[in-house]
Amino acid sequence: DIQMTQSPSSLSASVGDRVTITCQASQDISNYLNWYQQKPGKAPNLLIYDASNLETGVPSRFSGSGSGTDFTFTISSLQPEDIATYYCQQYDNLPLTFGGGTKVEIK
Amino acid sequence: EVQLVESGGGLVQPGGSLRLSCAASGFTFSSYSMNWVRQAPGKGLEWVSYISSSSRTIYYADSVKGRFTISRDNAENSLYLQMNSLRAEDTAVYYCARGSPLGYCNAGSCHSSWFDPWGQGTLVTVSS
């Protein structure tokens, strides 16, 4: 199975800060990597697919980059409504696997 | 509006069975693959099972293989998960999620690339 390692597991930042989350795959997955946002008590929501493509309707402050084994998710200017847990997910191989999540809080 | 609504969760004893349903609306259900993904309380996400649009291709996570059965009824716009021999570690919120419009094929298997959208989830609790 491909292991997805996210870091940090949690972070606290101020409104307006730039926030960066990393996701490392245990083997090369090209750009077959997606990012989801899960707000408390809600279902996950797709934000970015294929490592860097913004899903329709998602604010442009969210972005993703990377390929191979190392990926980055960025919120350029943190907003109060961005409080959530963020997950990466690979689809290069079955089983489809997720990172452990990064909980983002407001300082 | 695309909508997925799960039902069928509840409290069941270890070794028991439960059948989850997911009612789809707002899109052509028969054209999309579907998945079940679960989340144990306070934990991360775990993919459980995949079914192609025609039901021809089905995959399971090793943790549920042989115990869970995914199926769909395209005439009824519904997805199902039959869960047998339930264990305490199956306790989770179960989400149904639509697969990406185009699947991805690698190493002899074709499956969803991403999950979008997701239903609101249904809680399954396995406890005596």
Side-chain angles (χ1 to χ4, degrees):
Chain A
D1 297 5
I2 298 176
Q3 309 302 319
M4 306 301 294
T5 304
Q6 266 184 256
S7 61
S9 56
S10 65
L11 66 89
S12 182
S14 300
V15 173
D17 280 357
R18 184 180 185 88
V19 169
T20 298
I21 298 168
T22 64
C23 181
Q24 186 170 59
S26 59
Q27 65 188 66
D28 189 337
I29 58 169
S30 185
N31 67 327
Y32 304 134
L33 188 284
N34 308 311
W35 290 95
Y36 299 85
Q37 176 192 63
Q38 185 177 33
K39 295 185 176 181
K42 300 293 186 181
N45 182 43
L46 177 68
L47 296 183
I48 290 172
Y49 62 94
D50 292 346
S52 61
N53 294 299
L54 204 62
E55 174 71 343
T56 302
V58 174
S60 58
R61 64 179 179 275
F62 296 101
S63 65
S65 64
S67 66
T69 60
D70 296 305
F71 301 86
T72 300
F73 173 83
T74 300
I75 307 174
S76 60
S77 178
L78 186 66
Q79 300 301 303
E81 60 266 32
D82 300 336
I83 298 313
T85 300
Y86 295 85
Y87 294 92
C88 60
Q89 173 246 323
Q90 67 80 24
Y91 65 88
D92 189 42
N93 274 308
L94 291 174
L96 307 176
T97 50
F98 293 85
T102 297
K103 187 174 184 179
V104 175
E105 298 175 322
I106 297 287
K107 193 181 294 183
Chain B
E1 179 197 4
V2 175
Q3 197 168 14
L4 299 169
V5 179
E6 301 93 336
S7 60
L11 175 64
V12 60
Q13 292 189 336
S17 298
L18 214 52
R19 189 194 196 207
L20 306 183
S21 300
C22 171
S25 60
F27 66 102
T28 305
F29 181 72
S30 59
S31 296
Y32 286 83
S33 64
M34 296 294 296
N35 296 267
W36 288 99
V37 180
R38 68 184 180 183
Q39 185 170 36
K43 302 297 184 182
L45 300 166
E46 179 189 16
W47 169 78
V48 171
S49 184
Y50 161 93
I51 186 168
S52 64
S53 58
S54 65
S55 303
R56 208 168 300 165
T57 302
I58 287 173
Y59 300 116
Y60 298 99
D62 285 347
S63 57
V64 306
K65 201 173 295 183
R67 301 187 298 121
F68 289 12
T69 302
I70 191 172
S71 63
R72 64 190 294 161
D73 184 337
N74 286 344
E76 295 291 328
N77 293 335
S78 293
L79 175 72
Y80 305 101
L81 187 68
Q82 177 66 43
M83 304 185 296
N84 298 331
S85 303
L86 282 161
R87 307 166 179 166
E89 54 265 35
D90 295 319
T91 294
V93 174
Y94 285 73
Y95 296 101
C96 67
R98 189 178 70 175
S100 47
L102 293 177
Y104 170 73
C105 298
N106 185 29
S109 68
C110 295
H111 49 81
S112 305
S113 303
W114 54 81
F115 312 113
D116 179 51
W118 301 52
Q120 88 288 349
T122 187
L123 176 63
V124 173
T125 303
V126 185
S127 174
S128 54

